[in-house]
Amino acid sequence: MYMHPDLAAYFKTLPPSDDPKTPVFPSSYGKKSGSHGGLSNAFNRLMELAGIRVPLGSEKRGKGRRFKALGFHSLRHSFISRLANAEVPADVRKQLVGHSSDDIHRRYVHLDLALQTKAIAGLSSLLPAPTKRSKDRRQRARPAASRTVSQSPSVLA
């Protein structure tokens, strides 16, 4: 699997080992992500040390517990969303993060407004191109105030 150059550079700073099974992060090795003392809790402690205060997320109905609005798992959402906003195809994103289901993968994608705007801007016009004659006729038929509003590009927004 390809690795981001920043991550590869970080790994080069670590002490070398002849054992390929040596964990990259020995203090986190073997910990479960959700258990007491696990990765999520360790990440929450790091955020507290950094002065990042995070409120609890919305209350859940039925089974399940209430999670913080920002936590260790947020990094997964950020990674997938950044890939989507860079227009990386869904099948490539799914392979990188190990998702097998399209439904689950879609929950992680949060598209930026800029990408949505670009998508809409790329659409061809739905209206026929005005001819000089039809444009002149429409302008004479409307009051001046409505011409200003109707010619604004944000009317369809």
Side-chain angles (χ1 to χ4, degrees), residues 56-75:
L56 288 176
S58 59
E59 205 160 332
K60 305 267 183 187
R61 290 185 181 175
K63 289 185 177 182
R65 60 188 182 136
R66 193 169 173 191
F67 292 96
K68 287 191 173 188
L70 180 66
F72 181 72
H73 204 74
S74 301
L75 297 174

Side-chain angles (χ1 to χ4, degrees), residues 76 93-101:
R76 189 171 178 89
R93 294 190 316 260
K94 283 173 46 182
Q95 185 177 18
L96 285 170
V97 298
H99 283 156
S100 57
S101 161

